[in-house]
Amino acid sequence: MDRQVRCYDCGKTYRLEERQRCSCGEPLWFDADAETFEWPDDDRNWTAGMWRYEDALPVAPSSAVPTGSVPGTTPLVRAEGLDEYAGCRLSLKPEGQNPTGSFKDRGTAVGVEYGLRDGHDWIGTVSHGNMALSTSAYAAAAGLEAAVFVPADTPLERLELIARHGARIFRVEGDYGRLYAETLGLEAEVGRFVNSDTPLRVAGQKTVAYEILEQFQPSAPDAIVLPVSSGGQASGVWKALRELEAAGLLDADDVPRLYLVQAAACDPIATASREGRESVSAIEPGETIAVSIANADPPSGTRALTAARETGGAVVSVPDEATREAMDRLATAAGISVEPSSAVALAGVRELSRRGELDADEEVVTILTGSGYKERYDVDVESRTRTIDLEAVERELAAALE
Amino acid sequence: MDRQVRCYDCGKTYRLEERQRCSCGEPLWFDADAETFEWPDDDRNWTAGMWRYEDALPVAPSSAVPTGSVPGTTPLVRAEGLDEYAGCRLSLKPEGQNPTGSFKDRGTAVGVEYGLRDGHDWIGTVSHGNMALSTSAYAAAAGLEAAVFVPADTPLERLELIARHGARIFRVEGDYGRLYAETLGLEAEVGRFVNSDTPLRVAGQKTVAYEILEQFQPSAPDAIVLPVSSGGQASGVWKALRELEAAGLLDADDVPRLYLVQAAACDPIATASREGRESVSAIEPGETIAVSIANADPPSGTRALTAARETGGAVVSVPDEATREAMDRLATAAGISVEPSSAVALAGVRELSRRGELDADEEVVTILTGSGYKERYDVDVESRTRTIDLEAVERELAAALE
């Protein structure tokens, strides 16, 4: 149970309770005893979900959180039907199958267990949607209060999902980036806010990469492609790859390249990458359908950019039109419904193949971060639907399927 | 790979392609070589999902369906925080964690594999919602067409989810019970319609009870409580218990009692039970929030009633008010969001405890059939939300959590 956090950039260390960001300005993450890590034995069952990798996590699961709320062990789907579209050998990691329908449950579970261990009676987060929902549900399951800070313009549709679990919701007027930073700086609350790039959350989020690499055994994928917003998830995936390499479970030559994808209308990390800059700075955002990843001032943007560069990957952005098309392909060719912010990853794969970054014979894993069933999107129902009379069933069916 | 189906009531057997209902009028189900079944070895991993019980199923998984679409291995959640409310030792089986967010994926997976094996290029279903969505998504994943027949008054919100996966949707004007029966009788189509109580679907649905019983090893729950609509799921659970008993994996004394719950406004099976009748007949339905289980003329109603009676259980119904309360408790005390049709099961547990059917020290498993994230419900957002200024974050937080 390690409380030591470290800056990936300058190497300085702190205790988690001391601060969640380094004095150099960059985000921190947990040290892990990676050198001693081994793939779990069969007796640590897959039903343990992400706690299968407990030895690499800063906290252990307790009995206070019902085991059914355990995230992880999402499938790895080899989606041959999308290979031609993707321009490579595509596998999908549908994180929407986690308990609250998104990848966020992994980090939330770590944050909740840590809070319980320290005797806290509430946890907090700053979020647009998925993370707020996940935090509310897990807090409820663990018997904690949840304090959720959302931008004032968050749609009622999303607030309803969050409110069901009994969270206290604060709609905040003002700059989102500042709100995010300020909650982490609140004197009395250090360690209770499990925001999207904080050490506790990054520790949980990294387990998706442990799973991907274990599911891919004995080989490794050539590339992992994921959407990027705050940079917290990208940081977690990068951290996992570094740990697995340090543990001798992944050869240096086999480390997958990390590709990060943003929506073109709000792409501060891709912009910095395009301009060859060393660090990411805030941009003026435009409108995009990929609302969950529209972060114009990403707190772990530079760390994410570094992750892509150091693994030989890249950061790209895609227009909403490509995202809509990818979303449709996933639903009709793979049977998986995702939110637009997840579909950007597949749109990104297509773009990367077009640019020659990905080859047709390469194994590429795309992380689909969230379920598409939680919100309504513009779907053409009319063209697929006929209203008929009961007497006409046989005739209509024959005509339609001829 | 057995194609023999049998009437649970009169024992007559047929080949599946011959007919899906017995000449005596009752529904059929597959014979299974239950006597030889054993709990799977550890090498048949839990990541195989419901195919873990392949030896007890009429068809095997193929590579044509991406493995990520595999349903099953949903958790079993011991929900102590709800024991007092439930009046017993409560465990939950959140089937909303299946790929399309409901228990229906289990039966759909069997139907799709069977269709693929027989070289069909489409499958069909008659459904209000969850089953139509599941069938559309699985057909898409398997490269099959889906023909989905829905009542003409199905809300657009649900049609949108189904249409995303590219299904052909037929909105049918006319009696739902007749539509259901007629699709099964279509000469050319026998075996392609995987409706809610057909042998293929019941075979898949039974796997939830295999899982519950294996997860409960070495003991067995005293009772299993689930919502009932067509009676297909109840039939599957009953069938699993009979098979496990026949295989010697469950002592006759340990067979859990089956309790089935309906919404009071549409409760034909509970009505027949209350009136001491041997068989279930159609009723005039009222309005209920539990739309997914509002079947006024259940095709496996009598089979479900028999399942409850033969296991020493019962069929009860609950008012919408109790369902709303149970839905709220699940979200706020267990962190699980369910649709109203699932919450009726917990409301039923409470009612059964009140009646003395369940004791405080009994182990009771409640099947939560579907996720609550797919539709909007009436949620009190206002009372849980405050709109504040960024400068007031610290003060508001302190005030709220004092």
Side-chain angles (χ1 to χ4, degrees):
Chain A
M1 306 278 191
D2 203 338
R3 285 160 183 265
Q4 182 164 290
V5 289
R6 181 184 298 273
C7 176
Y8 78 98
D9 192 31
C10 74
K12 208 174 278 182
T13 61
Y14 308 86
R15 278 172 56 86
L16 178 69
E17 283 67 20
E18 231 175 305
R19 54 194 301 164
Q20 299 211 8
R21 258 187 121 78
C22 184
S23 59
C24 79
E26 281 301 287
L28 303 166
W29 58 24
F30 274 96
D31 273 345
D33 290 333
E35 292 71 15
T36 63
F37 183 79
E38 294 180 20
W39 290 123
D41 289 337
D42 276 350
D43 64 347
R44 187 170 300 164
N45 205 295
W46 283 90
T47 55
M50 58 170 263
W51 297 113
R52 183 169 172 78
Y53 310 110
E54 180 187 328
D55 296 347
L57 292 171
V59 66
S62 71
S63 63
V65 182
T67 52
S69 308
V70 168
T73 321
T74 56
L76 188 71
V77 186
R78 176 72 184 93
E80 285 177 47
L82 284 167
D83 281 358
E84 197 182 320
Y85 182 75
C88 56
R89 293 171 55 83
L90 187 73
S91 294
L92 306 169
K93 185 75 174 162
E95 287 282 287
Q97 290 186 34
N98 280 303
T100 75
S102 88
F103 71 120
K104 291 291 188 182
D105 289 344
R106 296 177 185 267
T108 303
V110 171
V112 163
E113 291 291 0
Y114 204 90
L116 284 170
R117 197 187 65 184
D118 278 10
H120 293 164
D121 53 6
W122 66 272
I123 59 168
T125 199
V126 174
S127 166
H128 296 267
N130 279 327
M131 189 162 57
L133 176 60
S134 175
T135 302
S136 305
Y138 276 77
L144 300 177
E145 290 266 13
V148 170
F149 291 81
V150 300
D153 61 355
T154 304
L156 181 62
E157 188 176 3
R158 261 184 269 160
L159 295 183
E160 284 174 356
L161 293 183
I162 300 162
R164 283 190 206 170
H165 295 293
R168 287 166 195 271
I169 303 174
F170 299 90
R171 301 175 67 173
V172 184
E173 313 269 12
D175 182 69
Y176 187 73
R178 254 191 71 206
L179 169 64
Y180 185 98
E182 294 215 350
T183 55
L184 298 183
L186 294 175
E187 284 272 344
E189 328 300 1
V190 171
R192 298 202 197 185
F193 271 88
V194 189
N195 292 359
S196 67
D197 81 327
T198 50
L200 287 165
R201 186 163 294 281
V202 169
Q205 300 304 147
K206 77 179 180 185
T207 60
V208 72
Y210 272 82
E211 261 179 48
I212 290 170
L213 272 287
E214 191 178 4
Q215 286 168 325
F216 238 94
Q217 287 284 305
S219 63
D222 297 295
I224 298 176
V225 185
L226 62 154
V228 61
S229 177
S230 71
Q233 168 80 345
S235 303
V237 171
W238 186 34
K239 188 167 203 310
L241 298 181
R242 290 161 57 122
E243 288 173 2
L244 289 170
E245 193 186 339
L249 298 174
L250 183 62
D251 284 347
D253 294 345
D254 289 343
V255 175
R257 311 191 301 276
L258 288 188
Y259 292 97
L260 310 177
V261 192
Q262 301 204 284
C266 185
D267 65 346
I269 309 176
T271 299
S273 173
R274 210 162 39 232
E275 296 174 356
R277 283 191 274 119
E278 290 297 309
S279 67
V280 176
S281 39
I283 59 158
E284 263 313 310
E287 292 282 312
T288 170
I289 56 169
V291 288
S292 299
I293 57 166
N295 191 328
D297 185 13
S300 278
T302 302
R303 186 163 62 175
L305 179 64
T306 309
R309 283 203 179 129
E310 299 240 327
T311 57
V315 189
V316 296
S317 57
V318 294
D320 280 1
E321 197 186 311
T323 298
R324 270 199 200 88
E325 190 185 79
M327 201 171 156
D328 183 58
R329 292 293 178 120
L330 284 164
T332 56
I336 300 176
S337 184
V338 298
E339 62 175 320
S341 299
S342 304
V344 294
L346 176 58
V349 168
R350 192 166 155 84
E351 171 63 15
L352 289 161
S353 295
R354 204 186 55 74
R355 292 189 191 183
E357 289 267 359
L358 299 173
D359 289 342
D361 62 351
E362 286 197 302
E363 298 282 353
V364 177
V365 177
T366 299
I367 301 178
L368 302 175
T369 42
S371 162
Y373 293 138
K374 288 189 274 186
E375 287 191 19
R376 292 179 75 167
Y377 306 110
D378 190 28
V379 180
D380 175 18
V381 174
E382 209 49 53
S383 77
R384 308 214 57 84
T385 307
R386 283 179 68 79
T387 302
I388 63 173
D389 192 81
L390 179 54
E391 310 306 329
V393 164
E394 188 158 14
R395 189 177 65 239
E396 290 282 347
L397 184 63
L401 295 165
E402 235 163 28
Chain B
M1 306 277 191
D2 202 338
R3 286 161 183 264
Q4 181 164 292
V5 289
R6 181 184 298 273
C7 176
Y8 78 98
D9 192 31
C10 74
K12 209 174 277 182
T13 62
Y14 308 87
R15 277 171 58 85
L16 178 70
E17 283 67 19
E18 232 174 304
R19 54 193 303 164
Q20 298 210 10
R21 260 189 118 78
C22 184
S23 59
C24 79
E26 281 300 288
L28 303 166
W29 58 24
F30 275 96
D31 273 345
D33 290 333
E35 291 73 13
T36 64
F37 182 80
E38 292 178 22
W39 290 123
D41 289 336
D42 275 350
D43 63 347
R44 186 168 300 165
N45 205 295
W46 282 90
T47 56
M50 57 170 264
W51 297 113
R52 185 169 169 78
Y53 310 109
E54 181 187 329
D55 296 347
L57 293 171
V59 67
S62 71
S63 63
V65 182
T67 52
S69 308
V70 167
T73 323
T74 56
L76 187 70
V77 186
R78 177 70 185 94
E80 286 176 46
L82 284 168
D83 281 359
E84 197 182 320
Y85 181 75
C88 56
R89 293 171 57 84
L90 187 72
S91 294
L92 307 169
K93 185 74 174 162
E95 286 283 287
Q97 290 187 35
N98 280 303
T100 76
S102 87
F103 71 119
K104 291 289 187 182
D105 289 344
R106 296 176 184 266
T108 303
V110 170
V112 164
E113 290 291 0
Y114 203 91
L116 284 169
R117 196 186 67 183
D118 278 10
H120 293 162
D121 53 5
W122 66 271
I123 59 167
T125 199
V126 175
S127 167
H128 296 267
N130 279 326
M131 188 161 60
L133 175 60
S134 175
T135 302
S136 304
Y138 276 77
L144 301 175
E145 290 265 14
V148 171
F149 292 80
V150 299
D153 60 357
T154 304
L156 180 63
E157 188 177 3
R158 261 185 268 162
L159 295 183
E160 284 174 357
L161 294 183
I162 300 163
R164 283 190 206 171
H165 295 292
R168 288 166 193 271
I169 303 173
F170 300 91
R171 301 175 67 172
V172 185
E173 312 267 12
D175 181 71
Y176 187 75
R178 254 191 72 207
L179 168 63
Y180 185 98
E182 293 213 350
T183 56
L184 298 182
L186 293 175
E187 282 272 345
E189 326 300 1
V190 172
R192 296 202 198 186
F193 270 89
V194 190
N195 293 358
S196 67
D197 81 327
T198 51
L200 287 165
R201 186 163 294 281
V202 170
Q205 300 304 147
K206 78 179 178 185
T207 60
V208 71
Y210 273 81
E211 262 179 47
I212 290 170
L213 271 287
E214 192 178 2
Q215 287 167 324
F216 238 93
Q217 287 283 306
S219 63
D222 297 295
I224 298 176
V225 184
L226 62 154
V228 60
S229 177
S230 71
Q233 169 80 347
S235 301
V237 171
W238 185 33
K239 188 168 201 311
L241 299 181
R242 290 161 59 121
E243 288 173 4
L244 289 170
E245 191 185 341
L249 298 175
L250 182 62
D251 285 346
D253 294 344
D254 289 342
V255 175
R257 311 190 303 274
L258 287 188
Y259 291 97
L260 311 176
V261 191
Q262 303 204 282
C266 185
D267 65 346
I269 309 176
T271 299
S273 173
R274 211 164 35 232
E275 295 175 356
R277 282 193 274 120
E278 289 297 309
S279 66
V280 175
S281 40
I283 59 156
E284 263 315 310
E287 292 282 313
T288 170
I289 55 169
V291 287
S292 299
I293 57 166
N295 192 327
D297 185 14
S300 278
T302 301
R303 188 163 61 176
L305 179 63
T306 309
R309 284 203 178 129
E310 298 240 328
T311 58
V315 189
V316 295
S317 58
V318 293
D320 280 2
E321 197 187 311
T323 298
R324 270 199 201 89
E325 190 184 80
M327 201 171 157
D328 182 58
R329 291 293 178 120
L330 285 164
T332 56
I336 300 175
S337 183
V338 298
E339 63 175 320
S341 299
S342 304
V344 295
L346 176 58
V349 168
R350 192 165 154 85
E351 171 64 16
L352 289 161
S353 294
R354 205 187 53 77
R355 291 189 191 182
E357 289 267 359
L358 301 173
D359 289 341
D361 62 350
E362 287 198 303
E363 297 282 353
V364 177
V365 177
T366 299
I367 301 178
L368 301 175
T369 43
S371 162
Y373 293 138
K374 288 190 275 186
E375 289 191 17
R376 290 179 76 167
Y377 307 110
D378 189 27
V379 180
D380 175 19
V381 175
E382 210 48 55
S383 77
R384 308 214 57 84
T385 307
R386 283 180 67 80
T387 302
I388 64 172
D389 191 80
L390 180 52
E391 311 306 330
V393 164
E394 188 159 13
R395 189 178 63 239
E396 290 282 348
L397 184 63
L401 294 166
E402 234 163 30

